[in-house]
Amino acid sequence: MSSSIVFIVYVNDAPEAARFYADLLDIKPSFETPRYIAFELGDGADLALWSGQTDVLTPAVPRTSEVCLALPGGPDSIDRQFERWVAKGVRVVSEPHEEVFGRTFVVADPDGNLIRVAPVD
């Protein structure tokens, strides 16, 4: 049986969030409706932005999950990605530093959702 997984990120404005993620990740949506936009990530995995559950969604609400972009290339590639994203004006939550799994940093999307960059395991 084949299966796929969709990671859903709740946002206030799906088209606005899709523009942010498309620019940040340099990808285009694979599926679009006014309130639900998905991006194919490969190998049966999608990232979806959904504005259907926003009753209490504000950037001030603490987030307990993250979307993680795993990059090959070691610490230098993590630092280069950080510099590219800072140049785009993203909100930095945690600057590059060493963790048990390697070099990492965290930024936030306009709704406060966390995006971590870390090395490929």
Side-chain angles (χ1 to χ4, degrees), residues 64-121:
T64 58
S65 64
E66 303 171 336
V67 171
C68 183
L69 174 65
L71 292 180
D76 290 340
S77 67
I78 302 294
D79 289 341
R80 284 191 303 272
Q81 190 69 47
F82 178 76
E83 293 303 322
R84 283 191 293 268
W85 285 8
V86 166
K88 291 177 182 274
V90 298
R91 182 169 64 91
V92 175
V93 175
S94 173
E95 294 198 5
H97 63 280
E98 295 299 322
E99 275 295 345
V100 295
F101 48 81
R103 192 111 175 120
T104 188
F105 68 88
V106 179
V107 299
D109 73 9
D111 290 295
N113 297 302
L114 302 177
I115 306 164
R116 178 177 296 279
V117 175
V120 172
D121 290 338

Side-chain angles (χ1 to χ4, degrees), residues 14-23 25-33 36-41 46-49:
E16 178 183 323
R19 286 188 291 277
F20 173 85
Y21 279 90
D23 179 53
L25 302 175
D26 196 27
I27 57 177
K28 294 183 182 199
S30 56
F31 180 82
E32 294 183 63
T33 70
Y36 182 91
I37 300 173
F39 296 89
E40 284 184 14
L41 302 176
D46 290 344
L47 172 66
L49 308 170

